[in-house]
Amino acid sequence: LGLSGPPGAGKSTFIECFGKMLTERKYKVSVLAVDPSSSTSGGSLLGDKTRMTELSRDMNAYIRPSPTSGTLGGVTRTTNEAILLCEGGGYNVVLVETVGVGQSEFAVADMVDMFILLLPPAGGDELQGIKRGIIEMADLVAINKADGDLIVPARRIQAEYVSALKLLRKRSKVWRPQV
């Protein structure tokens, strides 16, 4: 599964909760987390592993943070090979978390079985994200952080994306993206 979305959408938190649910069901889970690299030093904070504290201690989970090292598209130059290595290593589920992305960084969509776009409610101009690009590539749009005061904005953005997806050309004859 490829997971993408803007910074602050809750990708790491979602992966930790989803990953723990999978390991409790006896799946072996691999997380390939991609972090942006500094244009000055080339380094990266690789903070995703520290945000997934419970999952990182789980014996049925493997978390590999990697810097983009200047690669565009939200992934690293070797993400596809890393997916194959994880599958070969016996991991049932491989989750690829891209860098916090915009509208044209969706290279992971061609590397995974399902591409999930994670969006927060009330993030500003909701329809701004509905442009040809990342939204066309999504197999599933998940509105995250949809609780408390954000329930109403979450339902509104869900309705907007459902309507907008009807206007986009379908990538598949058998699957219609869900929101």
Side-chain angles (χ1 to χ4, degrees):
L1 302 174
L3 289 112
S4 197
K11 295 179 296 292
S12 295
T13 303
F14 174 84
I15 288 172
E16 173 152 71
C17 292
F18 187 58
K20 287 297 293 175
M21 182 197 74
L22 291 169
T23 60
E24 287 168 4
R25 294 179 181 185
K26 307 301 181 216
Y27 287 94
K28 285 187 68 180
V29 177
S30 175
V31 178
L32 302 174
V34 181
D35 281 333
S37 298
S38 164
S39 57
T40 306
S41 69
S44 176
L45 290 176
L46 304 177
D48 290 304
K49 193 168 186 174
T50 62
R51 287 196 302 267
M52 299 180 209
T53 54
E54 286 184 44
L55 192 59
S56 67
R57 290 190 301 258
D58 191 315
M59 295 303 295
N60 287 317
Y62 168 73
I63 302 174
R64 170 69 180 166
S66 300
T68 58
S69 301
T71 303
L72 299 177
V75 293
T76 71
R77 181 177 51 79
T78 58
T79 297
N80 202 44
E81 289 84 355
I83 292 169
L84 295 173
L85 284 170
C86 290
E87 289 173 340
Y91 289 93
N92 312 82
V93 179
V94 179
L95 304 172
V96 181
E97 177 186 2
T98 70
V99 296
V101 297
Q103 297 160 343
S104 63
E105 296 161 306
F106 47 77
V108 73
D110 292 328
M111 301 176 186
V112 295
D113 296 320
M114 177 174 251
F115 178 51
I116 302 167
L117 178 60
L118 205 62
L119 298 172
D125 182 2
E126 313 306 4
L127 292 175
Q128 182 64 22
I130 304 174
K131 292 188 175 175
R132 308 285 184 210
I134 198 166
I135 191 66
E136 281 184 316
M137 302 304 288
D139 297 307
L140 176 68
V141 177
I143 311 302
N144 201 17
K145 302 181 179 185
D147 58 358
D149 293 341
L150 295 176
I151 291 173
V152 172
R155 288 195 176 128
R156 185 179 64 248
I157 191 174
Q158 178 189 19
E160 289 174 3
Y161 273 84
V162 166
S163 295
L165 283 171
K166 291 176 185 174
L167 302 174
L168 299 176
R169 187 167 29 112
K170 295 172 181 37
R171 282 182 52 203
S172 168
K173 293 179 180 171
V174 296
W175 176 255
R176 195 177 92 234
Q178 302 294 304
V179 180

